[in-house]
């Protein structure tokens, strides 16, 4: 989830679903964006090895379980809150974990403050609070550094009250140019991302 488009929500959702699948977890991918980018991606790639359901509706939280079957995880690709607040908030009502992809750039970090308010509003509608975390996306280096823009972004977000995942996604053509192509997550940072989320779920 995020307030704005273009931060890598769909790329993150699709790659995460593939990483879960390759980890032995059977996922369902819900495309909640009216643009239907995840669904179109699956069509161009001649199908994903798991179901992709388009649900760009304001009551996603009431309808997902109709499609769940024996799937072990649900990945929900949310539209931007600023343009489709009803759908995005409905997805947040369903999801146990909210992931906010953020590029470690000053302009992106400056736009993060309103997200805390959105999170608080939706938490009040839930029977149990959701976990939430920031995924640093399109970082400058593939490995974590103690200095530089990536480290500064991590520190700034932590100071503002966000939990930042240990995993981050480097700025690579492998991800940026992957739309419409088959995905193989093995060996990518998204496998680490999936493992971190599974661990967080187990600890919860």
């Amino acid at each position: 989830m995020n307030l704005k488009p273009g931060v890598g929500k769909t790329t993150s959702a699709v790659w995460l679903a593939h990483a879960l699948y390759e980890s032995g977890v059977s996922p369902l991918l819900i495309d909640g964006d009216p643009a239907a980018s995840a669904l179109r991606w699956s069509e161009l790639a001649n199908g994903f090895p798991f179901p992709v359901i388009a649900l760009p509706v304001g009551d996603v939280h009431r309808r997902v379980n109709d499609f769940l079957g024996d799937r072990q995880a649900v990945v929900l690709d949310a539209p931007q809150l600023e343009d489709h607040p009803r759908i995005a908030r409905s997805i947040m009502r369903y999801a146990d974990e909210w992931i906010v992809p953020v590029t470690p750039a000053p302009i992106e970090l400056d736009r993060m403050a309103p997200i805390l308010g959105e999170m608080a509003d939706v938490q009040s509608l839930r029977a149990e609070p959701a976990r939430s975390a920031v995924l640093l996306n399109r970082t400058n280096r593939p490995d974590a550094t103690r200095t530089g823009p990536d480290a500064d972004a991590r520190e700034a977000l932590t100071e503002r009250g966000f939990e930042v995942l240990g995993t981050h996604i480097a700025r690579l053509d492998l991800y940026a140019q992957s739309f419409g192509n088959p995905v193989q997550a093995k060996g990518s940072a998204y496998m680490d991302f999936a493992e971190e989320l599974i661990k967080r779920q187990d600890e919860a």
Side-chain angles (χ1 to χ4, degrees):
M1 54 158 287
N2 203 305
L3 286 174
K4 58 188 290 292
V7 296
K9 296 187 302 298
T10 297
T11 301
S12 298
V14 168
W15 276 81
L16 172 60
H18 278 84
L20 290 168
Y21 175 80
E22 292 177 31
S23 299
V25 177
S26 177
L28 168 66
L29 177 57
I30 297 292
D31 188 347
D33 193 332
S37 297
L39 182 63
R40 179 58 178 157
W41 187 340
S42 71
E43 292 171 349
L44 293 172
N46 294 318
F48 292 160
F50 45 80
V52 182
I53 304 295
L55 274 181
V57 294
D59 61 344
V60 182
H61 62 286
R62 295 192 181 98
R63 300 176 63 177
V64 172
N65 286 348
D66 294 340
F67 303 94
L68 189 56
D70 59 355
R71 298 284 156 179
Q72 299 165 294
V74 182
V75 178
L76 300 107
D77 182 19
Q80 59 268 23
L81 271 157
E82 63 185 9
D83 294 329
H84 304 285
R86 190 162 173 242
I87 299 172
R89 289 170 183 155
S90 180
I91 286 174
M92 292 169 68
R93 289 182 69 175
Y94 182 87
D96 293 325
E97 178 115 39
W98 304 338
I99 303 299
V100 186
V102 177
T103 302
I107 190 170
E108 300 296 339
L109 300 178
D110 188 57
R111 294 170 174 171
M112 287 293 287
I115 292 178
L116 287 173
E118 292 284 352
M119 288 179 172
D121 288 346
V122 179
Q123 292 283 28
S124 68
L125 302 175
R126 294 175 55 96
E128 297 182 4
R131 299 181 301 281
S132 64
V134 169
L135 173 68
L136 288 180
N137 190 36
R138 301 171 184 158
T139 60
N140 296 281
R141 298 183 181 181
D143 299 318
T145 59
R146 294 185 180 180
T147 59
D150 300 346
D152 292 346
R154 184 178 294 276
E155 181 179 358
L157 289 164
T158 301
E159 288 176 353
R160 295 180 193 182
F162 292 97
E163 182 174 357
V164 183
L165 294 173
T167 305
H168 67 257
I169 310 298
R171 185 188 301 273
L172 297 174
D173 285 345
L174 172 66
Y175 309 132
Q177 304 298 326
S178 60
F179 176 81
N181 296 310
V183 171
Q184 184 173 0
K186 184 178 180 180
S188 75
Y190 283 98
M191 291 298 289
D192 299 331
F193 179 29
E195 289 173 7
E196 185 169 2
L197 292 186
I198 291 170
K199 182 178 179 181
R200 286 167 63 87
Q201 173 69 27
D202 290 343
E203 291 174 349

